[in-house]
Amino acid sequence: MIGRLTDNPQQFVTNNNVQQAKITIATTDNKNRNESYFFPCVAWQTTANYINTYLKKGDLVFIDGHLTRRSFLNKEGKQSSITEIIIDSINLILHKKNDENNEQQNSSSFKKNIISNDTKKDNENVSNNSQENDNNDDEWYNRVNND
């Protein structure tokens, strides 16, 4: 999937000291450029560190990942669920254009900033840390569903 970050990454560290990043990616329909879609994405460990360190709102990225659906209790105590993309790897395609020097930076960043995680480790982290994520899910769910 190719899309732009809709906001700066949200950075979290679990009680087990595992780094996590949450982002939302916006894409457009190739046939109807007026139609946009928003996808919540989660990354762990090395990929999360890369996202939290180098990416910002407006950056164009390529994401390889898989879908997961989780349930959690929201602030009102009701059962909610969210479908997210668990990022297996992410490539920076283009930084949001801020200045003249960005074009040169983008070409070198694209060649060297390819980050991948071991999918098995990511899946273990998702299941091991799902309870810790529940604290952040209510805010994340509301933000994604209100966009």
Side-chain angles (χ1 to χ4, degrees):
M1 171 183 302
I2 295 176
R4 291 197 180 272
L5 275 69
T6 61
D7 207 350
N8 289 326
Q10 292 180 316
Q11 180 176 355
F12 302 98
V13 178
T14 67
N15 292 339
N16 297 332
N17 207 27
V18 176
Q19 193 165 18
Q20 177 189 31
K22 289 187 177 184
I23 58 175
T24 301
I25 300 299
T27 64
T28 55
D29 187 338
N30 286 336
K31 294 179 183 176
N32 181 4
R33 292 273 181 206
N34 296 329
E35 194 73 32
S36 295
Y37 303 97
F38 300 89
F39 298 94
C41 305
V42 178
W44 298 91
Q45 296 180 348
T46 306
T47 305
N49 184 46
Y50 172 78
I51 290 170
N52 291 327
T53 304
Y54 297 107
L55 299 182
K56 62 186 180 312
K57 179 179 180 176
D59 287 347
L60 184 65
V61 295
F62 170 79
I63 291 178
D64 182 26
H66 58 277
L67 289 175
T68 187
R69 186 165 179 86
R70 297 185 297 111
S71 296
F72 62 95
L73 292 177
N74 64 22
K75 289 180 182 176
E76 291 82 33
K78 294 181 181 178
Q79 191 73 19
S80 294
S81 63
I82 187 168
T83 301
E84 301 168 310
I85 297 172
I86 303 297
I87 299 172
D88 296 322
S89 65
I90 188 166
N91 298 343
L92 172 63
I93 296 173
L94 189 66
H95 278 297
K96 181 178 178 182
K97 195 167 187 173
N98 292 341
D99 57 47
E100 302 166 1
N101 298 330
N102 233 4
E103 200 59 43
Q104 185 177 9
Q105 179 185 357
N106 288 332
S107 61
S108 64
S109 295
F110 180 71
K111 293 175 186 172
K112 65 182 179 182
N113 289 332
I114 299 173
I115 304 295
S116 295
N117 269 348
D118 179 5
T119 303
K120 184 177 178 184
K121 283 184 183 178
D122 284 346
N123 289 335
E124 289 172 4
N125 284 330
V126 169
S127 60
N128 291 340
N129 294 303
S130 63
Q131 203 166 32
E132 293 177 36
N133 288 333
D134 288 348
N135 298 334
N136 302 321
D137 283 341
D138 197 33
E139 177 185 331
W140 178 251
Y141 176 81
N142 289 333
R143 197 182 96 188
V144 169
N145 287 320
N146 290 330
D147 284 343

